Amino acid sequence: MTDMYALQIKDLTKTYANGTKALKGISLNVNKGDFFALLGPNGAGKSTTLGIVSSLVNKTSGSVQIMGADLDTQRTQAKMNLGVVPQEFNFNQFEKVFDIIVTQAGYYGISAAVGRERAEKYLKKLGLWEKRSTPARMLSGGMKRRLMIARALVHEPDVLILDEPTAGVDIELRRSMWEFLQEINDQGITIILTTHYLEEAEALCRNIAIIDQGSILVDCPMKELLGQMNQQTIILDVERGLPDSVHLDQFETVKVDDHTLEVVINKDQTINELFNELNKASVSVCSFRNKSNRLEEMFVSMLGKSEDA
Amino acid sequence: MGASANWIAFWTILIKEIRRFGRIWVQTILPPAITMTLYFIVFGNLIGSRVGEMGGFSYMEFIAPGLIMMSVITNAYSNVVSSFFGNKFQHSVEELLVSPIPNWIILLGYSLGGVARGLAVGMVVTVVALFFVDLPLYSVGLIAITIFFTAFLFSLGGFLNALFATTFDDITIVPTFILTPLTYLGGVFYSIQLLPEFWQNVSVLNPILHMVNAFRYGFLGITDINLGFALGMIFVTSVIMFGVCLHLLNKGVGIRQ
């Protein structure tokens, strides 16, 4: 079974020197070729988990296998299989873009000649080739993020961890990064992503785990999780001014302003049923959208339950 | 990693370190050349001419090897402490930690980077010295061994300092309050035979005295201390220091949470 997994975490615990229990024995399996989301609020244990997998944090107990190679006993192979794009910029700000990539290749035992070829390949793919001779500190935030992705790919790993890769990146660039990540995932690279942009996780990831207070709350396919949603809120933009009170028999409504109506749709109800009622009430709809991302609603609801428990 | 991959990784770190101090040569190579020129002018030429001979050599000849060694020690140390702490500060040390490079390769790469700067500065200072004095060569082999292992030892010292340092203040404390006094009291400017017996015995506890004397012996063929002990001490301390640094690196002290 181990061979099936790109990442296998078993009973992982981490207690920091100040006594904080960041991880309370989590177990997680990520399939080969998966696009996997690890979500959780700040301080939930995401970065600690990825830090241990990346060898940046010492675990207290448990085990980690990357592409079947144990991080303790087959350290070299495990690390060769992994590329890491951290949340914070962690390259030498004074070095040139090209040198950063070639140096990283050298750390993996890749010759300078091959390192230069791959640096060119990935810098071109990520739109940084023109900046190859620029010191890293001169790059924009988005370019720095892409530089870290190029650096993580230079040894051509099977598994790529991205810790909030699109934080602070504008929408256009974020979309192009999504396309790039989907492209390399299609080529077989397993991607493990953490993000606070939940629409990003919903759009990209096939499987998801939600972590909170050092424990895994959910670990399942994205579709399955979204299928568990009991209700969603739709915002309707209406053509004519709404009356003071809008009553629909089967739906809960909230009038936001004269031209905007919020409607809650339960899991067993359909959009068709809603529109039938809207027609009866002579409400003419121009457009409609979800009030918030579906995953976001689910995420907030799960964390709410976790706190109540 | 295999031997070939290890070699590439080691070479990558070493070249990166050499490129780093080469890129900022105005901060790394030039200052010791100017400082040593001033030492030669003030202590060697102006004051030295009134001091007379020491150990059968002119004062300028006597202090030249010590001044070279002093610059090697300070530069080997400061190269590693500033480079490795800088990497910690910028988090670029994570590039190494996520990679499969064995820790001993990381340690060797950084410490030989420090040796490279120490030797580069040592050569520059030697050239400066030759403008002021004709240095005899008594034993080239002894000069090479002493300077290499001394630079290696102090590079490891710099690495140890960088591991524990959490602020920029922490990387200046050891050079200012320990290294500089030990160097100035390490027989660079005088023979310990000029001291009262009690202070001679105290001076022998200073490891830098042994390094300076062994190095000076390579040029002048005179020494205040036992050469065999000096070389053994430098070598054994280097091995112990390498083991200590490697142990701390394996445990992740100062670099992993």
Side-chain angles (χ1 to χ4, degrees), chain A residues 107-123:
Chain A
Y107 292 162
Y108 284 81
I110 296 164
S111 70
V114 176
R116 282 193 288 270
E117 276 173 27
R118 291 194 189 168
E120 183 176 347
K121 173 181 163 187
Y122 289 109
L123 288 176

Side-chain angles (χ1 to χ4, degrees), chain A residues 56 71 147 158 213 279:
Chain A
L56 299 176
L71 199 51
L147 169 59
D158 295 310
Q213 296 174 36
N279 282 334

Side-chain angles (χ1 to χ4, degrees), chain B residues 104-139:
Chain B
W104 66 271
I105 294 275
I106 296 176
L107 184 56
L108 204 59
Y110 271 92
S111 46
L112 289 186
V115 170
R117 173 161 154 200
L119 296 183
V121 169
M123 277 191 274
V124 169
V125 173
T126 305
V127 170
V128 169
L130 292 175
F131 282 103
F132 294 89
V133 64
D134 285 328
L135 273 176
L137 279 177
Y138 187 79
S139 168

Side-chain angles (χ1 to χ4, degrees), chain A residues 14 16 54-59 75-77 79-80 82 84 86 88-96 99-100 102-112 151, chain B residues 1-2 4-6 8-10 12-13 16 19-20 23 86-87 90-103 106 110 250-253 255-257:
Chain A
K14 172 65 185 178
Y16 284 103
S54 315
S55 307
L56 299 176
V57 176
N58 288 332
K59 67 182 182 335
R75 178 179 172 276
T76 299
Q77 193 51 50
K79 287 183 162 199
M80 289 297 281
L82 184 70
V84 181
E88 307 288 339
F89 301 131
N90 71 343
F91 41 74
N92 188 325
Q93 301 277 342
F94 300 98
E95 279 192 54
K96 291 175 184 172
D99 293 342
I100 287 173
V102 178
T103 298
Q104 188 70 12
Y107 292 162
Y108 284 81
I110 296 164
S111 70
R151 185 187 60 181
Chain B
M1 296 204 295
S4 156
N6 277 344
I8 291 172
F10 162 74
T12 302
I13 298 173
K16 185 171 78 79
R19 270 209 325 246
R20 190 194 74 88
R23 189 173 58 223
N87 285 342
Q90 294 190 73
H91 297 285
S92 55
V93 71
E94 292 175 5
E95 292 178 334
L96 289 164
L97 299 181
V98 300
S99 78
I101 308 181
N103 287 330
I106 296 176
Y110 271 92
N250 287 338
K251 281 184 73 179
V253 172
I255 49 172
R256 285 194 178 96
Q257 291 175 301

Side-chain angles (χ1 to χ4, degrees), chain A residues 23-39:
Chain A
L23 297 178
K24 299 169 183 169
I26 66 163
S27 295
L28 202 60
N29 295 323
V30 178
N31 293 325
K32 284 181 182 171
D34 201 355
F35 208 133
F36 188 91
L38 180 63
L39 305 183

Side-chain angles (χ1 to χ4, degrees), chain A residues 138-178:
Chain A
M138 309 290 281
L139 300 179
S140 68
M143 287 176 180
K144 286 176 180 172
R145 297 238 165 255
R146 281 180 283 158
L147 169 59
M148 292 202 296
I149 294 176
R151 185 187 60 181
L153 289 170
V154 76
H155 63 288
E156 304 195 328
D158 295 310
V159 183
L160 183 65
I161 285 179
L162 299 123
D163 195 358
E164 298 189 31
T166 53
V169 170
D170 66 48
I171 293 170
E172 191 182 355
L173 186 55
R174 194 184 304 166
R175 299 271 170 190
S176 74
M177 280 171 73
W178 289 8

